[in-house]
Amino acid sequence: MSVIKRLAAFLLLILFICFLGAFLFGYMPYWFGKESYRTDYQDIVEKYSEEFGIDEAFVFAVIKTESNFDPDAVSDAGAIGLMQIIEDSFDWVSDKLDEDELTYEDMFIPEYSIKYGCYMLAFLYDRYGSYELAAAAYHSGIGEVDGWIEDGIVSAENPDISDFEGSNTRHYVTKIMKAYSKYSEIL
C-alpha cells in the first residue's frame, strides 16, 4: 500500500472519529434530554396553561414528576391521572370552574386532568408568587405551606427548598424544579 493511500485512509479514519465525537458529544445529550423530558399532550398543556396563565414548562414538570405521563396512574394516597388529582382538589376545582358534569373518575382522561391541574397550579402560583411554594402546596397542601410562612420557617419572598418541612416535600419540590429547569430549556 502506498504512503498516499495510507495517509488518505488515516485521514478518513480521523475524519470519521471527529464526526462521531461531534455527534456523541454534541447531539446525543440534546436527543437524550428530549427523550427523558417528554412533551406528550403538548396541545392540551399549551391550551390550558395559556388559559389559566401558568408556564407550560412548569406543567410538564409536574406531569413528569407526578405520573411520568401515565394517564392511568393512581397513587397510594388515591390521587389519579396525569396530574395526580385527589378527590378533594377535584371537588374544589369543579366548584371554582362551575363544572358539575364531570366525575372524579374523569381525571383519568388527559384533557380533564391537565385542565384541573393547570387551574390548581395557576391558583397556587398566583397565591405564592413562587414555583417552589406552588409545587410544595400542590404536594403538601395550602395549609401546610401557609403554616411554614406564618411560623417564619419559610420566607414567602425568597423561599429556600431546604427550609421546607418534610423530606418528601423537599425531594418532590427539588425534582419539580429540576424538571422545570430542563423543560424551560427544551420548550
Side-chain angles (χ1 to χ4, degrees):
M1 191 176 205
S2 74
V3 173
I4 293 177
K5 285 184 179 181
R6 284 182 157 169
L7 184 59
F10 179 73
L11 289 176
L12 274 173
L13 180 62
I14 296 296
L15 184 62
F16 175 75
I17 290 171
C18 288
F19 174 77
L20 184 61
F23 177 76
L24 290 175
F25 292 107
Y27 182 73
M28 291 304 283
Y30 171 77
W31 186 80
F32 280 119
K34 290 288 277 186
E35 284 299 305
S36 298
Y37 292 89
R38 298 165 37 189
T39 55
D40 304 20
Y41 312 105
Q42 186 159 10
D43 55 334
I44 301 170
V45 171
E46 286 176 0
K47 175 183 176 181
Y48 290 113
S49 64
E50 185 175 314
E51 181 176 331
F52 297 121
I54 190 73
D55 188 339
E56 71 180 281
F58 188 61
V59 176
F60 278 118
V62 170
I63 294 171
K64 177 177 177 42
T65 304
E66 287 285 355
S67 69
N68 200 26
F69 295 89
D70 177 4
D72 299 319
V74 178
S75 76
D76 293 338
I80 64 173
L82 288 172
M83 298 196 72
Q84 293 292 278
I85 307 293
I86 61 171
E87 195 159 5
D88 287 346
S89 296
F90 166 78
D91 292 339
W92 181 81
V93 174
S94 291
D95 185 54
K96 294 291 185 188
L97 294 177
D98 197 26
E99 292 184 346
D100 55 2
E101 66 277 359
L102 296 180
T103 67
Y104 181 56
E105 297 298 312
D106 288 325
M107 293 300 100
F108 286 115
I109 300 170
E111 174 132 11
Y112 299 131
S113 183
I114 292 169
K115 179 179 183 179
Y116 276 51
C118 283
Y119 183 88
M120 287 175 48
L121 291 174
F123 173 84
L124 295 169
Y125 181 77
D126 288 345
R127 181 181 184 106
Y128 296 111
S130 154
Y131 287 114
E132 293 86 354
L133 291 174
Y138 195 86
H139 179 71
S140 298
I142 292 171
E144 186 77 16
V145 174
D146 285 351
W148 300 342
I149 293 169
E150 289 169 12
D151 294 344
I153 296 167
V154 173
S155 166
E157 293 76 34
N158 191 18
D160 182 347
I161 296 171
S162 66
D163 293 336
F164 293 4
E165 291 189 340
S167 61
N168 286 343
T169 301
R170 283 192 302 276
H171 179 69
Y172 174 84
V173 175
T174 299
K175 283 176 61 175
I176 291 280
M177 297 313 295
K178 178 183 175 200
Y180 175 56
S181 176
K182 193 65 172 178
Y183 277 113
S184 294
E185 292 173 15
I186 292 170
L187 299 174

